Amino acid sequence: MTKKIMRSAIDAGFRWSAAHRILREVVERERHWSGGMFSYGYAVNMFANAAKYRDFWERRSFSHSSVHLTPLGTYFAFQGNSGRVDWTGAYVREDGTIGRFQGRHNYPLYCVGCGRADLRVADEFMCTAEFSLPATLLIKIPLNPGGGHQPTERRAEAAWREKARLLEQEHAAKAPPIVEPPPPPAPAPRPQPVHERPVKPRGPVEALLISVLSSLWGTFKFLLLIALIGLAAGRK
Ligand SMILES: [Zn+2]
């Protein structure tokens, strides 16, 4: 009953302690964040920018063990050489929220595969388990606006849209009562007057035929009655 929630620093609802904040200031003052091209800070920024888009996570989902997963469902990946300096990376939460974290001060980082991912030996930024982001989460992540020009990328996007459409259908099938009632009354009255119009000219003709036939029937019955009376009179 006293099971502790293993909330990671990157999970929603994480509370920063005073100790965290002090450490954060220390880490953010460190030199390795500054510098130009080819510096560590530049590489980290490139990584964080790429992590805003779906292809980044899609690629990692298919490359083995580069994605970690917190017990609360947040997927995260470390920047390739950040293990030697600190633990820096990017994450995607269950609702599709994307963010970045910089440095060891973002502790703890629990992983259901490898344990405390931020306490692992330097250079081992990969997970010991294999995680891939589910399709339902991947479609929440925006596409890279710079991509999509290659035929393969267009095909991939078409496949994703189809998958998203099927998922939406599944959701719609689960909750139909609100959607179902309005359609039947709307289309029903509209076609009826349209069909009645071509029928209308036939209406009087039919009515005339029926009235003629019914009057003929009445005449026939009258003649039959006369004939029967005649027959009856003839027998006497
Ligand atoms: Zn892991």
Side-chain angles (χ1 to χ4, degrees):
M1 291 301 284
T2 52
K3 198 181 176 186
K4 203 178 166 187
I5 301 169
M6 308 289 268
R7 198 182 292 275
S8 300
I10 53 174
D11 286 324
F14 181 80
R15 287 188 154 194
W16 288 83
S17 67
H20 271 97
R21 288 197 198 94
I22 291 162
L23 191 60
R24 183 177 202 160
E25 284 171 25
V26 171
V27 173
E28 285 180 352
R29 274 202 303 271
E30 283 177 9
R31 269 187 303 166
H32 59 254
W33 299 117
S34 60
M37 247 201 204
F38 310 119
S39 69
Y40 176 65
Y42 182 82
V44 163
N45 275 322
M46 290 290 282
F47 178 87
N49 285 332
K52 290 175 189 170
Y53 305 110
R54 195 193 296 163
D55 58 332
F56 174 94
W57 296 101
E58 215 170 355
R59 245 182 289 124
R60 267 154 191 80
S61 288
F62 294 114
S63 78
H64 299 297
S65 309
S66 61
V67 175
H68 301 262
L69 174 63
T70 74
L72 285 170
T74 302
Y75 290 87
F76 65 101
F78 290 113
Q79 199 269 348
N81 54 0
S82 71
R84 296 177 199 164
V85 192
D86 59 356
W87 291 108
T88 285
Y91 64 83
V92 180
R93 288 181 188 153
E94 225 174 2
D95 63 352
T97 307
I98 298 163
R100 62 195 281 185
F101 54 94
Q102 287 192 339
R104 199 176 281 278
H105 62 286
N106 284 280
Y107 71 89
L109 291 177
Y110 296 107
C111 175
V112 294
C114 60
R116 269 289 293 272
D118 56 326
L119 292 183
R120 304 186 69 207
V121 181
D123 297 332
E124 283 185 12
F125 64 94
M126 303 284 268
C127 191
T128 53
E130 285 179 19
F131 298 110
S132 51
L133 278 71
T136 46
L137 178 58
L138 278 171
I139 56 170
K140 291 176 186 169
I141 305 169
L143 281 175
N144 191 334
H149 303 298
Q150 298 297 318
T152 48
E153 287 174 6
R154 281 203 297 272
R155 276 205 301 274
E157 176 58 13
W160 275 116
R161 281 186 187 170
E162 177 62 13
K163 200 155 194 171
R165 193 182 65 79
L166 290 170
L167 286 166
E168 274 175 22
Q169 275 184 349
E170 276 177 34
H171 283 292
K174 282 174 189 169
I178 308 161
V179 190
E180 273 189 358
R190 279 181 191 172
Q192 274 175 357
V194 177
H195 282 291
E196 272 173 5
R197 275 176 194 172
V199 172
K200 266 179 186 175
R202 288 177 199 166
V205 178
E206 278 174 355
L208 189 70
L209 274 168
I210 288 160
S211 67
V212 167
L213 282 168
S214 62
S215 66
L216 280 171
W217 177 241
T219 313
F220 174 73
K221 277 193 289 186
F222 177 72
L223 289 169
L224 192 69
L225 189 68
I226 300 291
L228 283 169
I229 290 163
L231 275 171
R235 277 186 185 177
K236 276 184 182 175

